[in-house]
Amino acid sequence: AQVQPVRGGGSVQAGGSLSLSCETSGTQVSHELDQYCVGWFRQAAGKMKEWVAAIVPPSGNTDFADSVKGRFSISRDNAKNTVDLRMDSLKPEDTAAYHCAIYAPPNCRRTPGFGYWGQGTQVTVSS
């Protein structure tokens, strides 16, 4: 399985919005997204990678870190094998490189030691 480089990102002023897209391709994993965690992560300069959000199998429910709850949302397009992260009301502290990954459940609220990762994209929020 492969996770393509995250699309989207860029620079925006505080209060603005951005959308990121994560596309999977390849073998069985990408066609069985309902069996794996699909997570979003971010890493700010000089800081450790932080779990942001995930789609939790098998229900497909979404889960968000407290820091982004109410501002970020996730949507999935099974036909396109994409998972999008919509980010609203962005804050300067949201500035980071954002990544997506597919990894094993049941605990999706974590940064996995092993998973299929896509190359990240930079999000910069100015005040």
Side-chain angles (χ1 to χ4, degrees):
Q2 288 184 327
V3 179
Q4 301 301 315
V6 175
R7 296 197 305 271
S11 298
V12 66
Q13 288 191 325
S17 300
L18 286 172
S19 289
L20 307 179
S21 185
C22 176
E23 180 180 356
T24 64
S25 63
T27 62
Q28 190 174 14
V29 168
S30 65
H31 297 291
E32 298 181 351
L33 291 181
D34 58 341
Q35 298 184 25
Y36 292 85
C37 304
V38 182
W40 286 94
F41 306 81
R42 65 187 182 187
Q43 187 166 20
K47 296 187 177 181
M48 295 188 66
K49 189 171 290 181
E50 172 190 18
W51 174 82
V52 174
I55 294 180
V56 181
S59 63
N61 291 337
T62 54
D63 191 15
F64 297 91
D66 290 344
S67 59
V68 305
K69 195 172 294 183
R71 300 188 296 119
F72 289 15
S73 60
I74 294 177
S75 61
R76 190 169 95 183
D77 186 331
N78 288 338
K80 297 180 180 179
N81 285 330
T82 58
V83 175
D84 292 345
L85 181 69
R86 170 73 178 185
M87 305 181 293
D88 295 317
S89 303
L90 282 162
K91 304 175 181 180
E93 51 263 44
D94 294 319
T95 294
Y98 282 72
H99 305 259
C100 70
I102 302 173
Y103 51 105
N107 180 15
C108 297
R109 184 178 265 256
R110 64 186 176 95
T111 301
F114 176 78
Y116 298 95
W117 289 87
Q119 181 178 338
T121 188
Q122 180 67 31
V123 171
T124 302
V125 185
S126 58
S127 58

